Amino acid sequence: MRLVTESYLNQITRWPQTGRHILAQYDDQTVVVYQAYRPAIGHFAASNGYFGGEFSLERMSWIKPNFLWMMYRCGWGTKDSQEVVLAIWIQRSAFEEILREAVHSSFVPELYPHKSEWQKALKQSQVRLQWDPDHHPSGETLERRAIQLGLRHQVLAAYAKDWIVKIEDISDFVKQQRQNLNCDYTELIVPQERVYPVFDSEIQKKLGLSAWTNFL
């Protein structure tokens, strides 16, 4: 498995406990995002390195850079039609473009003087942004917020083929770690994640990111 992993207990000492942060595994060229699908879609993507076959470009598709949020959403691979969990490496420049195009799914008065302006922007947007409560491995809600990004139209088409560097089926890893969800989590291993740095002040403001300086 290409994902870099580390003990969950080691990592939580480095993660922010509150605020809006993009937790992700990334390097200079790529960012890892997660999705979970039914076998027909997930196996095609993992085998071919892009989304095709039964994958629909007509529906919004949500990507999540935070592994534990994805695990909460798919029930560690146990929910119907979310059995195949994928790690998708996309170009970092593409991820930056996605963030730049994002529009909040709900009205944010600080960004739009009038609700009608937000509604117009939302209707025209190809990327939707949601900040949801992050989750403990047990499923417990945390104070920290996790980002998810909904893609559609040309952005989704570009993501599905052009922006992907690698796709890996990590379902076996997820199944293995599901067995380590005991009370002390000493055996739990998860992908190594850090707070993703957004240096553009306008994008920071638009996303509503919380301040964070420790990106190591």
Side-chain angles (χ1 to χ4, degrees):
M1 189 175 72
R2 181 176 167 181
L3 276 174
V4 179
T5 59
E6 186 181 351
S7 162
Y8 165 74
L9 293 181
N10 284 350
Q11 293 198 72
I12 58 174
T13 63
R14 303 194 299 266
W15 292 343
Q17 300 303 303
T18 61
R20 294 179 171 185
H21 303 279
I22 303 173
L23 278 179
Q25 183 164 138
Y26 62 91
D27 57 28
D28 290 343
Q29 302 299 322
T30 61
V31 179
V32 180
V33 297
Y34 302 96
Q35 294 190 284
Y37 287 103
R38 64 181 185 273
I41 295 177
H43 291 160
F44 180 99
S47 298
N48 293 278
Y50 69 92
F51 288 98
E54 296 183 18
F55 181 82
S56 175
L57 292 174
E58 305 304 315
R59 299 175 57 188
M60 184 170 287
S61 186
W62 292 85
I63 60 173
K64 303 165 181 64
N66 181 314
F67 176 78
L68 286 177
W69 202 102
M70 183 73 254
M71 292 305 97
Y72 169 76
R73 182 67 182 83
C74 72
W76 291 84
T78 63
K79 291 187 178 180
D80 186 48
S81 297
Q82 298 187 61
E83 303 91 345
V84 179
V85 183
L86 303 175
I88 303 118
W89 282 256
I90 63 172
Q91 299 166 17
R92 184 162 174 174
S93 58
F95 188 68
E96 295 280 351
E97 183 173 338
I98 289 170
L99 295 180
R100 192 175 299 112
E101 295 293 324
V103 175
H104 289 262
S105 291
S106 55
F107 178 53
V108 181
E110 294 81 6
L111 296 178
Y112 300 94
H114 304 288
K115 194 171 185 178
S116 60
E117 293 184 24
W118 162 73
Q119 291 172 328
K120 181 180 179 181
L122 185 66
K123 185 177 180 180
Q124 295 175 344
S125 73
Q126 298 186 63
V127 180
R128 290 193 182 179
L129 158 69
Q130 286 186 190
W131 285 107
D132 300 288
D134 205 346
H135 290 268
H136 186 274
S138 67
E140 177 187 354
T141 299
L142 301 176
E143 290 187 38
R144 183 179 61 240
R145 291 277 167 164
I147 198 171
Q148 66 168 331
L149 298 153
L151 315 181
R152 64 176 182 168
H153 303 327
Q154 291 94 336
V155 168
L156 177 58
Y159 163 77
K161 286 192 176 181
D162 301 334
W163 292 345
I164 291 174
V165 176
K166 177 182 173 62
I167 300 179
E168 193 168 59
D169 181 348
I170 61 169
S171 304
D172 288 343
F173 170 74
V174 168
K175 181 179 180 181
Q176 180 185 34
Q177 297 310 314
R178 190 169 70 236
Q179 310 309 313
N180 294 331
L181 297 177
N182 51 38
C183 59
D184 58 10
Y185 301 98
T186 55
E187 302 300 318
L188 181 62
I189 303 296
V190 297
Q192 189 181 82
E193 294 179 352
R194 299 173 287 157
V195 173
Y196 183 84
V198 175
F199 299 112
D200 187 307
S201 60
E202 290 300 314
I203 298 178
Q204 289 177 6
K205 180 180 178 181
K206 182 178 70 170
L207 298 180
L209 289 171
S210 299
W212 184 255
T213 57
N214 183 17
F215 296 108
L216 298 178

